[in-house]
Structure formats: structure tokens, C-alpha cells
Amino acid sequence: MKPTDSELEILHVLWTSGPSTVRQVHEALSQSRDLGYTTALKLMQIMHEKGLLTREESNRSHTYAAAVTEEETQRGLVDRFVETAFRGSASKLVMQVLGQHKASRQELDEIKKLLNQINSSDESN
Amino acid sequence: MKPTDSELEILHVLWTSGPSTVRQVHEALSQSRDLGYTTALKLMQIMHEKGLLTREESNRSHTYAAAVTEEETQRGLVDRFVETAFRGSASKLVMQVLGQHKASRQELDEIKKLLNQINSSDESN
DNA sequence: GGTTTGCTACGAAATTATTCGTAGATGTCC
DNA sequence: GGACATCTACGAATAATTTCGTAGCAAACC
């Protein structure tokens, strides 16, 4: 699946807040932007149809939850993005990001550590 | 500007091949997927209107060229992508990409070099 | 010079995403 | 029980993207 931007917003709410009602999601989204309640509802209904959300209907106000993990979703998005924006060159993307965005010392260290792991586990290249 | 996927395909042809006619672009795109000549034409006309392409009309078959560089376009795309898919965390994106895609020894070394530069030029974090 | 070929411009259909209004059902509160 | 609030479902308007057909013009070709 390739969630749209709006769908990603909703997924983020559910990933961080856990299973929620439409009202809760709508309230969270309203913090950052303007959208109607039924808009959120419709989006979540569609996402449910698509299999992006699960739905618990025992209460009158249904409870929705993400049916996909943040990890796997990001994996898909990254694949697609590397392909369309960087013609498959992941390292170019990494270079671009590192050059362009501030990262904390700690984050940089983590990245280095990961790089070292990759290096040592794959001496063939 | 935020080029669409189709627009990116055309930009890539122009970035790699240099200024080209619609026919040349159409031929290049036809290698990888199926699309009509007038579709390519229309897309390029729209991109010209948007200012993504320049157009040289001295010949009957106009010559188009990218009006934006690959570098700056990718910068914009990355910004947007970090925001929507990783809620602003560039380092998370980097980690995800590194974990997920193969890179050559040489690429990894380049990335490390860049990391060291960042580290040493910013001792404050 | 008439036919064929190749090009642009234009309109419009098809698709997808986003948005919201309204209707109908159900629950809540005096 | 009646008024009000809250929820779902649904239809539909709007917008953006992608697609292609057709028309009109200019060039090239016997």
C-alpha cells in the first residue's frame, strides 16, 4: 500500500496514540490544520476499506487502529521515494539528507555505529 | 515546486540527456513504460507553463530543457518527504535507508567521510 | 501540387484524492 | 417523551493528475 499524505497523518496519530475514535483523531489533526469532522471520518472509512485500519464496532463510536506498522510503512515509502526521486540510488539520498538536515551528535553517532556494522558484516564489497 | 511523479520522469530524461525534443523524451520514456506521444507533449507543455522547463521554439519541433537542477529538486523533495513520512526526523530516515538498501563499500566510505566532516565542523551538539 | 508525415495546441475524459453537507440512527439530558 | 448532541453512512462537489483523440498547420516527398 502507498498511503496518501492525509492517510499518513491519520496513521501517525494512531501510531502515537494507539487505537482511537474518529473524534480523537479529528481533535489531534485539528491541532495542526483545519479539517471537518466528517472529512476525518470519511478518510478513516476509506482507509478501513483499503485495509490500512482495523475497526472495532462494539461501541457506537467505533474504535480504529493502524493495521500496518510504522516501520513497514516507512519501508515502503522509502523504497518508492528512492526509486522516483533518486532513481534507485539510496546512498545519494543519504548524502543529500545528511548534507541538508541538522542531526544531533547522538543521532550522528548512531548512524556511524550502523555504518560500522554494515561495513564489518559485509567485507565483500 | 513539487513535481509529480510523471514530471520527475521527464526531468530525469532532461537531466541526463540534456535539452531534448518531445519526441526524444517520449522515446526515452517509452523504454520503461507505455505512454502516448501527446501525453508526453501535454505534460511538457504543462511543465513549461509551471516554469519547470524552458522551451526553445526556433525550430518547428521545440526543444525543452530542465529549468530546475536535479540537486535543488531533490532538496525540495527530501524536505517534503522527511516531513510527511518521518515527521521531521532526518536521522530516522537515514537509518531506515541504510538498513534497507545495499550500498557499495565506496558509497559507505563516502557517507562516513561526510559524517566525519559534519562531526568535526559542529562540536557544539 | 497533392498526399503523407510530424508537430503543436486544445479539449475533454478518466482517475484519484480531498472535502463537506445532509440524512438517519442512537444516545443523553431535563 | 421531547429536544439536543453525537455518531455513521452516503452522495456529491472540487481539485489535481494523467491520459489521449482530434484538429490544424507546416514540412517533406514523390
Side-chain angles (χ1 to χ4, degrees):
Chain A
M1 296 295 123
K2 36 152 199 53
T4 67
D5 286 359
S6 295
E7 289 173 345
L8 262 182
E9 287 183 323
I10 288 173
L11 283 173
H12 266 288
V13 173
L14 295 174
W15 284 329
T16 46
S17 304
S20 311
T21 62
V22 173
R23 180 145 305 277
Q24 290 169 321
V25 170
H26 175 249
E27 232 137 65
L29 292 183
S30 297
Q31 305 300 315
S32 47
R33 74 184 183 100
D34 201 51
L35 91 172
Y37 175 83
T38 54
T39 305
L41 171 67
K42 180 74 165 192
L43 280 171
M44 292 171 75
Q45 284 172 342
I46 291 171
M47 290 172 75
H48 178 236
E49 278 170 27
K50 289 189 191 174
L52 285 171
L53 304 184
T54 60
R55 184 162 74 172
E56 214 279 292
E57 311 189 1
S58 58
N59 296 317
R60 188 158 83 97
S61 58
H62 304 166
T63 299
Y64 290 83
V68 292
T69 67
E70 181 166 23
E71 179 81 7
E72 69 183 301
T73 302
Q74 287 176 339
R75 196 157 39 232
L77 291 170
V78 163
D79 270 344
R80 196 174 144 68
F81 185 66
V82 166
E83 212 41 61
T84 61
F86 288 83
R87 294 287 124 171
S89 170
S91 60
K92 261 198 170 180
L93 166 57
V94 171
M95 302 284 286
Q96 178 74 254
V97 174
L98 287 177
Q100 168 175 358
H101 290 271
K102 290 238 182 292
S104 71
R105 162 61 52 89
Q106 192 186 343
E107 288 171 325
L108 291 175
D109 284 348
E110 273 183 51
I111 293 169
K112 276 192 180 181
K113 214 170 82 183
L114 178 56
L115 275 177
N116 284 329
Q117 283 173 12
I118 295 174
N119 249 352
S120 57
S121 72
D122 178 19
E123 297 291 336
S124 61
N125 269 336
Chain B
M1 295 301 120
K2 36 147 201 56
T4 66
D5 285 0
S6 295
E7 290 174 344
L8 261 182
E9 286 183 323
I10 289 173
L11 282 173
H12 266 288
V13 173
L14 295 174
W15 285 329
T16 47
S17 305
S20 311
T21 62
V22 173
R23 180 145 306 277
Q24 290 169 321
V25 170
H26 175 248
E27 232 137 66
L29 293 183
S30 296
Q31 304 302 315
S32 48
R33 72 186 184 98
D34 200 51
L35 92 170
Y37 176 83
T38 55
T39 304
L41 171 68
K42 180 74 164 191
L43 280 172
M44 291 171 75
Q45 285 172 341
I46 291 172
M47 290 171 75
H48 178 236
E49 280 170 25
K50 289 190 191 174
L52 285 171
L53 303 185
T54 60
R55 183 162 76 171
E56 214 278 293
E57 311 191 0
S58 60
N59 295 317
R60 189 157 82 94
S61 57
H62 304 166
T63 298
Y64 290 84
V68 292
T69 67
E70 181 165 24
E71 178 81 8
E72 69 183 301
T73 302
Q74 287 176 340
R75 197 157 38 233
L77 290 171
V78 163
D79 270 344
R80 196 173 145 66
F81 185 65
V82 167
E83 212 42 60
T84 61
F86 287 84
R87 294 286 125 170
S89 171
S91 60
K92 262 199 172 182
L93 165 57
V94 171
M95 302 283 285
Q96 178 74 253
V97 174
L98 287 178
Q100 168 175 355
H101 289 272
K102 289 238 181 291
S104 71
R105 161 62 52 88
Q106 192 188 340
E107 288 171 326
L108 290 176
D109 285 348
E110 274 183 51
I111 293 170
K112 275 191 179 179
K113 213 169 84 185
L114 178 57
L115 273 177
N116 284 328
Q117 284 173 13
I118 295 174
N119 248 354
S120 57
S121 73
D122 180 18
E123 299 289 338
S124 60
N125 269 337

